[in-house]
Amino acid sequence: MLAATHAAFSTVMYLGGATVFEYKIDPIAWGLAMLFSIMPDIDLPTSKVGRPLFWISVPLEKRFGHRTITHSFVGIAILVTMISPLYFYFPLYFWAVLGGYWSHLQIDMANFRGVDLFWPSPIRVVMPGKRAYRLEVGSKAEMIVFCSMLVFCVGLYPMSNLGLRGGLHQILKDFDISYDEFIEVQGANWYTLELKAIDNLTLEHINCVCPILGAWQSGLIIEHNGTVRSVGKSQMQHNLFPVDAVLIKGEPLRVISQRVDMKGKSLRWLVNNLKANHGYYLVGELYVDADKVVNVSQIETYHPVLWGGDKVRLHYAKAEDLGEYLNVTAIRGEVVVQFWLRPGDKPVELNFAGGEDGGEVPDILQGL
C-alpha cells in the first residue's frame, strides 16, 4: 500500500480507539502512530522510509526480501524490545507506536501478496481470502479506499473527543446514560446537566443547564434557580421528571470537608458558629428525641432536609434550607460541611467558633 493509505488507516485506528476506549487524543501519540504506520516498509529501499534509511533498507531487502521479517511477529517482537522503556514512562506513546506498526501489517494483508506474518514460516496471511476483493498498490481501488478513510476520519474526530458513550449520549439525550456516567466520575470535576424536565407537582416545563451536586434514589441532585431539587424517573421520589438530559463535564473539582459532632447541639448552634468565606453544603444524619419532632408530611419527594421519626437527614442542604429545623437538637450524629472549589478560587477560611447554643437568628437567615 502507499504511505498515504497507511497513514490514513493508522489514523482511523487511533481515532477509533479513542472513540471506543475513551482515551484523550494526544498530538504526539497520533503523530507516532502515523510515523510507525510506514515503518515496516523499511525493508524496501524505494519506500518513503526506505529512501532516507537506505543503509538499513538495502541490506534488509537483500537478506530477507520485502514483507517478510519487518511484516511479521518477529519484527513486532524486535520493535517491542526497542521501545519497551516507553511502556514504563510513556505508556500512551508505547501503544501508539505499536498500534501504528500493526496497522501497516493489517492493511497489507488486503494486498494481492499478503504478508509473511509468521516468518520464517512460508505461510502468508491474506485478508480477504478471495483474490478479486484484494487491493493492488496504487490502483484505483486503493484510491477509493484511501478517500473513504479520509471521510471516515473526519466523522471519527468529533466522536473521538466525546467517546462512544458520549456520542450516543449527545444523540439520545437519555437520562439513564447521564446518571450512569455521573456515578462513575463524580467528585473529580464539576458537572452540569443540560436538562429538559417536567415538575412533578406543578407540571411546569423546565429548561436549564443546572449544576449537579450528587445522586439520590437512582436520580441526580441539581441546583435550579438556587433551589436544590432531584431529577429522576420516579414521580414519587423526585421533584423533576427528565425528558432530555445531557451530562456536561466542567472544571476540576476540589472538595474540602469539615466534620462536626452534633451531640447535644442544634442546627441553630451549627449555623451561628460556622463562619466561612465560601458557600457550603451540609451532609449528615442527626438522631433526635422522637417526642419532640412532629412528622407533618409523608411526602417522599426529595428535600435537602428530610426528617421523620427520630432522624433528621441533611443532603446537600444550605443554611437557607434550615429555617424550620434550627431548634432541632441532636441526641447524637454528625454533620459534614463541604466546600466545593473551582480552580482559582480563594482558599477556604473556616472559623468554627464552637460556642454555646445561641438564640439569635443567624445573619444568613435574616429575612427568611
Side-chain angles (χ1 to χ4, degrees):
M1 301 297 175
L2 299 175
T5 304
H6 285 298
F9 186 59
S10 67
T11 296
V12 168
M13 291 190 65
Y14 182 79
L15 295 179
T19 300
V20 175
F21 300 108
E22 300 184 357
Y23 53 76
K24 187 176 181 180
I25 291 178
D26 181 274
I28 297 177
W30 190 349
L32 286 172
M34 295 177 65
L35 174 63
F36 277 82
S37 71
I38 63 174
M39 198 57 68
D41 277 345
I42 197 173
D43 61 358
L44 186 63
T46 58
S47 67
K48 291 285 187 183
V49 67
R51 285 196 294 271
L53 299 176
F54 65 91
W55 47 278
I56 298 177
S57 61
V58 171
L60 279 175
E61 186 187 37
K62 287 182 177 179
R63 177 65 179 85
F64 302 105
H66 183 41
R67 291 189 186 161
T68 54
I69 185 172
T70 61
H71 289 63
S72 69
F73 286 126
V74 174
I76 292 175
I78 294 172
L79 176 68
V80 168
T81 302
M82 294 174 62
I83 66 171
S84 56
L86 284 176
Y87 181 81
F88 300 100
Y89 297 102
F90 303 99
L92 180 63
Y93 298 160
F94 172 87
W95 291 113
V97 169
L98 188 58
Y101 196 94
W102 172 256
S103 72
H104 182 112
L105 275 57
Q106 185 171 344
I107 196 170
D108 265 2
M109 295 176 193
N111 190 260
F112 284 144
R113 184 186 179 280
V115 297
D116 294 352
L117 192 60
F118 299 100
W119 185 92
S121 169
I123 298 175
R124 288 179 180 171
V125 178
V126 293
M127 184 181 63
K130 192 170 182 180
R131 185 178 177 85
Y133 296 147
R134 295 182 219 159
L135 301 175
E136 183 180 355
V137 177
S139 65
K140 184 183 293 186
E142 182 180 351
M143 292 299 101
I144 293 173
V145 171
F146 170 70
C147 293
S148 300
M149 285 191 292
L150 290 181
V151 173
F152 200 44
C153 289
V154 172
L156 271 177
Y157 183 74
M159 287 289 290
S160 64
N161 287 299
L162 294 171
L164 184 61
R165 291 183 304 171
L168 290 174
H169 184 27
Q170 289 288 337
I171 295 172
L172 300 177
K173 297 185 177 181
D174 183 70
F175 176 79
D176 291 332
I177 297 178
S178 296
Y179 173 80
D180 291 340
E181 287 191 358
F182 180 78
I183 292 298
E184 293 181 11
V185 299
Q186 62 179 323
N189 289 78
W190 287 85
Y191 282 87
T192 54
L193 194 66
E194 185 179 327
L195 178 68
K196 290 183 180 179
I198 300 174
D199 189 301
N200 286 324
L201 184 61
T202 66
L203 299 184
E204 175 189 2
H205 285 250
I206 294 173
N207 294 289
C208 70
V209 179
C210 300
I212 302 177
L213 305 182
W216 185 78
Q217 298 288 357
S218 299
L220 297 176
I221 306 302
I222 65 169
E223 189 169 343
H224 175 247
N225 292 337
T227 302
V228 179
R229 312 185 77 182
S230 66
V231 184
K233 298 294 183 69
S234 171
Q235 296 187 11
M236 292 297 297
Q237 296 178 324
H238 300 115
N239 308 112
L240 305 175
F241 183 85
V243 178
D244 290 334
V246 177
L247 187 69
I248 302 173
K249 181 179 178 180
E251 300 171 294
L253 168 66
R254 184 162 63 98
V255 178
I256 296 177
S257 301
Q258 172 71 49
R259 292 181 179 272
V260 181
D261 183 6
M262 293 296 293
K263 182 178 180 179
K265 301 179 178 66
S266 69
L267 291 174
R268 184 184 298 276
W269 173 91
L270 175 65
V271 176
N272 276 346
N273 289 281
L274 182 60
K275 307 298 181 183
N277 65 334
H278 198 284
Y280 56 83
Y281 297 103
L282 303 175
V283 181
E285 288 185 347
L286 307 179
Y287 291 86
V288 299
D289 187 346
D291 293 338
K292 296 181 180 180
V293 176
V294 179
N295 191 355
V296 297
S297 175
Q298 298 296 327
I299 298 176
E300 299 179 356
T301 303
Y302 171 82
H303 189 274
V305 185
L306 296 173
W307 58 276
D310 62 350
K311 184 186 297 184
V312 176
R313 183 171 66 178
L314 307 178
H315 197 252
Y316 299 106
K318 297 188 291 186
E320 304 93 288
D321 301 318
L322 305 179
E324 334 175 14
Y325 313 96
L326 287 172
N327 294 322
V328 172
T329 301
I331 298 173
R332 57 187 173 88
E334 69 174 14
V335 170
V336 176
V337 185
Q338 292 186 356
F339 299 90
W340 289 28
L341 305 180
R342 299 179 184 273
D345 280 354
K346 295 181 179 180
V348 172
E349 296 179 5
L350 176 62
N351 179 19
F352 191 72
E356 296 298 324
D357 192 3
E360 71 275 17
V361 177
D363 294 340
I364 198 169
L365 298 175
Q366 290 285 351
L368 292 182

